[in-house]
């Protein structure tokens, strides 16, 4: 099943998308990768979902990517004796370690690492930023904060700390357990929440040991401050706009989305734009005009994938949400401005053989109007370098590794097929032409360009281009 678009769709599974028939419909509507949110999934649910998707993959004969999204630390205040409590602007309020139910003057903050890390002048945001405080006194076991805006506070509301670096790992004990279960189940991608520093990503990669690739969710100001280091270590990035919009001014998030998308493309790493893309479709069969424009903006910017969260997990119109996103992407990619914008954002190739070959393949394919760029790839690196170029012809990735094919389901413009290693260069040309015809990329008499590394099967050895005709015998 070949998609008529380059940008991929990442759909979250949930209560509204449990049945096999619904999941199949979501794939047919356009979902390329499925997200399992470990905030709401037990290990039994995770295992069941992976088995469900692998069965669908075997049935339809196309690789499907699976992403397990780790919950990360959940910072919350304690409970109140008589909630909700109204706080007035200018009032002083205390966060402490006392488990006694709170009142209008204080409440427990059951996270000693926060109390020890907060400093005078730091902001404390509670309930998704609806309540904003500033620290005016800081001690080891309690802090006094000043209320900046009046509002109610109640039990277990979430806490965000845009100015504070916590001396804790991004992995909680639950995350470690979930990570082990996800790797055992055989997911393709791990999304890491609460990333503050590159060491957070390195920790997960050390545990994963290549069994799954690691996607850093960029949702905290501290991550933005060390963005380049985090991006270098990560296998992919997610612009998690919901949490970014809580801890940073809303008006700076669009600029950050653009900056992250372009930096990721320059590095040749997949980037996903997420959160509230078609939010109204949780309860409505049609999106707002602003939401359509939001999805279109991410596509015009060259994002590898756009993500649906509650829209496909818990909404009333899960199929329609995926179908609508698919239609928006297809319409944008037909727009004459689309290839012009992508070309304008193209970075010069790095001074490496792989980058030079990828840039040359794109140039030759576009100059000669070839039907496809066929890339032989063991690890997926060759396909990623070609995708970085955002070529006009589609990318057909041929690999012997099913894991590689599944991971490439997230990557812009890549249609991956699992096959056998060619015996020699002529066999490579024949097999590439056969795959191009079989997958409906080219007809007999049309030409494709082949990209490979010789000797075959050697990671990072991309060093060959070959133009070949597709024949009726292929």
């Amino acid at each position: 099943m070949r998609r008529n678009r380059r940008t991929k769709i990442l759909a979250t599974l949930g209560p509204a998308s449990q049945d096999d028939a619904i999941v199949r419909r979501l794939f047919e509507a356009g979902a390329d990768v499925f997200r399992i949110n470990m905030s709401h999934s037990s290990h039994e649910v995770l295992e069941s979902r992976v088995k469900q998707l692998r069965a669908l993959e075997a049935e339809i004969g196309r690789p499907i990517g699976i992403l397990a999204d780790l919950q990360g630390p959940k910072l919350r205040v304690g409970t109140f004796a008589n909630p909700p409590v109204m706080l007035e602007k200018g009032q002083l309020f205390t966060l402490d370690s006392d488990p006694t139910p709170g009142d209008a003057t204080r409440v427990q903050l059951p996270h000693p690492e926060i109390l020890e890390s907060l400093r005078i002048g730091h902001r404390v945001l509670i309930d998704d930023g609806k309540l904003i405080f500033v620290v005016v006194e800081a001690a080891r076991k309690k802090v006094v904060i000043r209320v900046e805006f009046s509002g109610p506070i109640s039990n277990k509301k979430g806490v965000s700390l845009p100015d504070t670096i916590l001396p804790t790992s991004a992995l909680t004990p639950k995350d470690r357990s979930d990570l082990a279960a996800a790797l055992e189940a055989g997911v393709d991608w791990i999304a890491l929440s609460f990333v503050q520093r590159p060491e957070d990503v390195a920790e997960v990669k050390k545990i994963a040991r290549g069994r799954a690739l690691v996607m850093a969710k960029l949702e905290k100001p501290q991550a933005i401050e060390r963005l380049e280091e985090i991006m270098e270590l990560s296998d992919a990035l997610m612009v998690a706009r919901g949490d970014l919009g809580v801890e940073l001014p809303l008006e700076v998030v669009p600029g950050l989305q653009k900056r992250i998308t372009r930096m990721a493309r320059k590095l040749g790493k997949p980037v996903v734009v997420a959160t509230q893309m078609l939010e109204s479709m949780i309860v409505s069969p049609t999106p707002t005009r602003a939401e359509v424009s939001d999805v279109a903006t991410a596509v015009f910017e060259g994002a590898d994938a756009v993500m649906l969260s509650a829209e496909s997990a818990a909404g009333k119109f899960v199929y329609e949400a995926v179908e609508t996103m698919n239609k928006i992407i297809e319409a944008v990619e037909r727009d004459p401005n689309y290839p012009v914008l992508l070309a304008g954002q193209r970075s010069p190739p790095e001074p490496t053989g792989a980058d030079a070959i990828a840039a040359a393949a794109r140039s030759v394919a576009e100059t000669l109007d070839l039907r496809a760029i066929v890339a032989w790839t063991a690890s997926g690196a060759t396909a990623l370098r070609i995708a970085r170029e955002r070529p006009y012809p589609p990318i057909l990735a041929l690999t012997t590794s099913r894991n590689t094919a599944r991971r490439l389901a997230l990557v812009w413009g890549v249609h991956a097929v699992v096959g056998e290693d060619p015996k020699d260069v002529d066999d490579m040309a024949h097999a590439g032409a056969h795959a191009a015809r079989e997958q409906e990329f080219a007809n007999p008499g049309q030409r494709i360009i082949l990209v490979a590394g010789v000797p075959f099967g050697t990671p990072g050895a991309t060093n060959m281009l070959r133009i070949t005709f597709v024949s009726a015998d292929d």
Side-chain angles (χ1 to χ4, degrees):
M1 180 183 294
R2 179 187 167 190
R3 305 292 193 200
N4 294 317
R5 53 175 164 78
R6 312 290 201 274
T7 308
K8 304 301 181 68
I9 295 175
L10 202 168
T12 303
L13 296 177
S17 47
Q18 288 186 355
D19 295 345
D20 293 348
I22 293 176
V23 175
R24 183 186 179 108
R25 287 193 75 199
L26 295 186
F27 175 83
E28 291 172 345
D32 302 288
V33 180
F34 288 93
R35 171 177 173 254
I36 301 170
N37 187 351
M38 297 310 298
S39 296
H40 308 295
S41 301
S42 65
H43 294 178
E44 292 74 22
V45 169
L46 168 70
E47 184 178 357
S48 173
R49 286 298 202 182
V50 172
K51 288 180 179 178
Q52 179 187 48
L53 291 168
R54 295 307 183 217
L56 174 61
E57 179 184 75
E59 182 181 346
I60 62 178
R62 290 291 310 136
I64 296 174
I66 303 176
L67 179 142
D69 195 334
L70 302 181
Q71 174 178 286
K74 291 297 180 186
L75 310 178
R76 300 183 184 279
V77 297
T79 59
F80 291 83
N82 297 294
V85 170
M86 179 59 68
L87 301 179
E88 301 295 334
K89 181 178 180 180
Q91 172 186 342
L92 297 182
F93 189 76
T94 299
L95 302 174
D96 58 35
S97 56
D98 183 355
T100 305
D103 53 30
T105 63
R106 60 155 295 278
V107 74
Q108 182 195 21
L109 184 60
H111 303 283
E113 70 276 12
I114 297 180
L115 295 175
E116 294 174 2
S117 301
L118 285 168
R119 299 291 182 266
I120 293 173
H122 284 196
R123 288 170 294 163
V124 177
L125 312 181
I126 295 179
D127 193 10
D128 286 337
K130 295 182 180 70
L131 287 169
I132 301 176
F133 306 82
V134 174
V135 177
V136 294
E137 296 179 28
R140 189 169 180 270
K141 293 190 176 181
K142 73 173 186 177
V143 296
V144 179
I145 53 180
R146 183 180 65 242
V147 181
E148 296 295 294
F149 296 97
S150 301
I153 184 172
S154 55
N155 296 340
K156 302 290 185 180
K157 291 301 181 184
V159 177
S160 299
L161 307 165
D163 305 319
T164 310
I165 297 178
L166 297 180
T168 57
S169 166
L171 289 176
T172 65
K174 169 180 165 52
D175 293 327
R176 292 180 184 279
S177 176
D178 289 347
L179 174 58
L183 294 171
E184 179 67 25
V187 305
D188 308 297
W189 291 91
I190 300 292
L192 178 61
S193 302
F194 208 80
V195 175
Q196 298 185 97
R197 54 183 79 82
E199 290 81 3
D200 295 331
V201 179
E203 183 179 8
V204 179
K205 294 193 75 169
K206 183 177 180 180
I207 296 170
R209 299 196 315 275
R211 289 174 287 171
L213 299 184
V214 179
M215 177 184 296
K217 294 171 66 176
L218 300 172
E219 54 191 353
K220 296 190 68 62
Q222 293 83 357
I224 303 303
E225 292 173 6
R226 302 187 67 179
L227 186 57
E228 291 188 15
E229 298 169 82
I230 290 170
M231 294 180 82
E232 284 285 353
L233 273 179
S234 305
D235 298 306
L237 295 306
M238 180 187 292
V239 188
R241 304 179 305 174
D243 289 295
L244 272 178
V246 171
E247 301 203 17
L248 288 167
L250 285 171
E251 62 272 16
V252 309
V253 174
L256 275 176
Q257 175 179 318
K258 188 180 292 287
R259 176 185 167 196
I260 294 166
T261 302
R262 294 192 177 192
M263 286 178 66
R265 180 177 167 192
K266 183 177 181 180
L267 291 170
K269 298 191 176 185
V271 59
V272 179
V273 176
T275 317
Q276 298 178 329
M277 302 216 78
L278 296 176
E279 184 88 349
S280 68
M281 292 195 73
I282 296 172
V283 296
S284 170
T286 57
T288 66
R289 308 302 183 267
E291 287 168 341
V292 173
S293 181
D294 182 37
V295 175
T297 296
V299 177
F300 273 123
E301 194 59 37
D304 287 80
V306 285
M307 191 176 99
L308 294 168
S309 298
E311 301 97 326
S312 61
K316 294 181 178 179
F317 303 97
V318 296
Y319 172 79
E320 290 82 359
V322 176
E323 184 181 47
T324 297
M325 185 165 271
N326 184 77
K327 288 179 179 178
I328 295 168
I329 297 171
E330 288 184 352
V332 170
E333 293 185 357
R334 287 194 301 266
D335 190 293
N337 288 312
Y338 181 64
V340 176
L341 290 171
L342 292 187
Q345 299 163 15
R346 186 176 293 128
S347 300
E350 299 294 325
T352 65
D355 262 40
I357 291 288
R362 190 265 313 158
S363 178
V364 170
E366 290 180 352
T367 300
L368 300 180
D369 192 25
L370 305 182
R371 305 316 300 165
I373 300 174
V374 180
W376 289 91
T377 181
S379 66
T382 299
L384 278 167
R385 300 319 287 177
I386 297 171
R388 174 185 181 268
E389 293 291 313
R390 297 296 190 262
Y392 186 75
I395 304 164
L396 175 57
L398 304 182
T399 180
T400 59
S401 168
R402 191 165 297 278
N403 288 338
T404 294
R406 290 166 175 165
R407 293 167 181 178
L408 289 173
L410 186 73
V411 180
W412 186 98
V414 175
H415 178 95
V417 174
V418 180
E420 298 180 356
D421 255 343
K423 302 178 182 64
D424 51 38
V425 174
D426 288 336
D427 187 39
M428 177 199 76
H430 174 72
H434 175 76
R437 186 169 69 84
E438 187 178 57
Q439 299 293 321
E440 301 180 350
F441 285 88
N443 296 318
Q446 295 178 322
R447 294 180 298 175
I448 58 172
I449 188 167
L450 299 160
V451 181
V454 179
F456 297 122
T458 305
T462 305
N463 57 10
M464 190 188 75
L465 294 177
R466 176 169 171 171
I467 300 170
T468 188
F469 278 93
V470 175
S471 72
D473 296 330
D474 287 319

